Amino acid sequence: MMKPVYGNNISVDELNEINNYILVTMDEPWELLKPHVINDPSKIILNRSMDIAHLEQLYSSLKKTIEESYSIIGIGGGTSCDTAKYLSWRFKKDMGMDLDLILMPSIISVDAFLCSSIAVRSDNKVNYIGESTPKKIIIDYNLIQKAPKYLNRAGVSDTISITSALGDWKLAHSENNEPFDQKIFAQAITIAKDLMNARNEIKDVTRRGIKALVDGFVREVALCSQWGNARPEEGSEHFLAYCIESITHSHYIHGQIIGMDILISLYLQDDLAQFSIEEIRKFFHDIELNISPNSLSISSDILRSALKKIQTYVKKENLMYSIYNSPRLELNTPKIEETIRFITKI
Ligand SMILES: [Zn+2]
């Protein structure tokens, strides 16, 4: 896997050295970089939508002007990086063009800049299509530190989701005969613990904090690719988030909703949870990431609908076996109300 390059102001240096490039970004990071860039992009794409129809339109509009010498640069959060990945994949697939892809996250809120799979949306649902591998991943501390702190802190959740995903894995192994590997399992625990040990640096979004977040992502993505799927990192916490999104059609800060759902998963996994609720609750508290339903504007009614729907939802969507498939969990009305009381008091 591609190892990121770290440094101060290295995003500007890179842009000034590139030939022709198409820049996929957002207003905020581009406003910061623009005054220092003397080598202007051939085209700037400010994209906020990962809807597949919209991406296709973008691709078609670029098709006429693109040349083999162009690079595609993604600077921003998940949307900018995934859009850049999508375009590079599309140009390769349809036109056989191998354009250099360079990703520079301006915020460490999701692991999109490291994953080769491309997350797009159709009918409000996330689908993964295609793969593209960046030639370079650039971690510019100065740029990332200019983003709101809480968004960078929210980047912990796709790694810390290991803490609930591992309980699901154990369940899937014992109840559903799924393969299990003690070594991979132990490595996942170490990744989560290392992240928790960096909590003060993460809270302050220092250079070491950013490095810890990126390292967590790098190790988690490598571990999942070694194992062959996202089992060590993704489970019921993600599934409940998808279920809530399918009800509200809202876009939440991924780290916040996953954070809330990790605690719900640990609560429902009960004695099979691999981490204690208190340990994870304290971690979110210490890094000052608010994961309460209130902070997400998720009402008890929405939680109630989601918890009523989740067990059929995971089967209908063919999601991996988790606590929501387990006969151990009887998600009846009292249990749902108890869970809502638990999470609203967090
Ligand atoms: Zn995620």
Side-chain angles (χ1 to χ4, degrees):
M1 198 182 62
M2 179 57 50
K3 282 250 154 56
V5 183
Y6 298 84
N8 293 317
N9 296 318
I10 52 174
S11 53
V12 172
D13 298 344
E14 185 72 30
L15 291 179
N16 286 335
E17 279 164 20
I18 285 171
N19 279 334
N20 293 329
Y21 65 101
I22 292 171
L23 177 64
V24 184
T25 187
M26 296 254 194
D27 294 308
E28 300 88 340
W30 184 229
E31 287 306 314
L32 291 168
L33 295 177
K34 203 174 161 184
H36 310 284
V37 173
I38 43 172
N39 175 29
D40 286 334
S42 307
K43 185 151 185 108
I44 301 175
I45 295 167
L46 303 167
N47 183 33
R48 289 190 176 268
S49 164
M50 288 311 290
D51 188 75
I52 186 77
H54 174 72
L55 290 172
E56 267 309 291
Q57 252 178 3
L58 266 183
Y59 166 71
S60 302
S61 72
L62 288 170
K63 239 167 127 177
K64 297 147 220 151
T65 48
I66 197 86
E67 281 170 42
E68 196 80 52
S69 63
Y70 278 54
S71 300
I72 297 179
I73 318 287
I75 305 182
T79 304
S80 299
C81 291
D82 269 325
T83 305
K85 279 154 61 184
Y86 178 85
L87 291 172
S88 103
W89 169 72
R90 209 62 184 75
F91 281 119
K92 187 166 193 177
K93 184 172 167 264
D94 256 38
M95 301 173 76
M97 286 178 130
D98 224 339
L99 309 179
D100 284 345
L101 172 67
I102 302 177
L103 300 177
M104 310 183 194
S106 63
I107 192 166
I108 308 294
S109 53
V110 286
D111 59 5
F113 64 94
L114 281 170
C115 302
S116 50
S117 55
I118 306 160
V120 300
R121 279 178 187 265
S122 51
D123 296 329
N124 251 299
K125 254 170 36 192
V126 176
N127 287 316
Y128 290 92
I129 53 156
E131 303 228 320
S132 57
T133 315
K135 189 189 151 215
K136 229 186 231 181
I137 298 170
I138 289 176
I139 305 292
D140 183 336
Y141 293 125
N142 293 46
L143 177 64
I144 291 164
Q145 282 176 327
K146 285 181 183 122
K149 276 200 169 92
Y150 76 98
L151 287 177
N152 279 320
R153 292 171 186 148
V156 299
S157 291
D158 269 339
T159 308
I160 218 71
S161 58
I162 285 170
T163 59
S164 47
L166 291 183
D168 292 325
W169 192 8
K170 273 263 166 97
L171 271 168
H173 179 54
S174 65
E175 294 176 359
N176 201 36
N177 248 320
E178 288 187 28
F180 182 82
D181 185 307
Q182 189 57 46
K183 247 189 175 158
I184 301 269
F185 189 85
Q187 279 178 47
I189 289 179
T190 310
I191 295 171
K193 293 232 153 121
D194 286 349
L195 201 65
M196 286 193 247
N197 287 334
R199 67 184 71 200
N200 294 328
E201 305 281 344
I202 291 171
K203 185 196 88 190
D204 295 333
V205 195
T206 62
R207 283 170 201 183
R208 285 170 70 176
I210 293 169
K211 184 81 172 24
L213 285 170
V214 176
D215 271 348
F217 279 151
V218 169
R219 290 161 72 196
E220 164 257 305
V221 170
L223 191 70
C224 289
S225 97
Q226 192 190 335
W227 174 246
N229 60 42
R231 182 51 106 178
E233 175 266 322
E234 185 174 304
S236 50
E237 74 296 318
H238 272 81
F239 308 157
L240 185 60
Y242 302 150
C243 181
I244 292 171
E245 284 168 0
S246 79
I247 293 169
T248 65
H249 299 297
S250 297
H251 295 276
Y252 302 98
I253 292 167
H254 190 63
Q256 263 186 302
I257 191 165
I258 295 299
M260 176 183 80
D261 292 348
I262 289 171
L263 286 163
I264 293 178
S265 288
L266 294 176
Y267 185 73
L268 297 176
Q269 286 167 351
D270 202 14
D271 57 336
L272 273 179
Q274 300 299 306
F275 284 76
S276 81
I277 291 169
E278 189 43 35
E279 188 178 10
I280 304 304
R281 194 199 62 77
K282 187 172 186 312
F283 173 67
F284 285 127
H285 175 266
D286 289 347
I287 64 165
E288 294 180 9
L289 179 67
N290 195 339
I291 46 101
S292 67
N294 211 7
S295 69
L296 285 151
S297 300
I298 293 177
S299 67
S300 295
D301 279 346
I302 296 170
L303 284 172
R304 195 169 289 118
S305 310
L307 289 167
K308 271 185 193 158
K309 184 181 175 184
I310 184 73
Q311 288 180 308
T312 46
Y313 178 83
V314 292
K315 287 191 193 102
K316 197 184 103 218
E317 297 293 323
N318 236 325
L319 299 170
M320 286 187 294
Y321 192 96
S322 75
I323 183 65
Y324 294 122
N325 301 84
S326 174
R328 297 165 51 102
L329 177 65
E330 213 190 312
L331 213 42
N332 52 22
T333 305
K335 187 74 186 172
I336 289 174
E337 295 308 317
E338 180 193 301
T339 309
I340 293 171
R341 274 197 301 279
F342 158 76
I343 199 66
T344 45
K345 268 193 270 167
I346 220 74

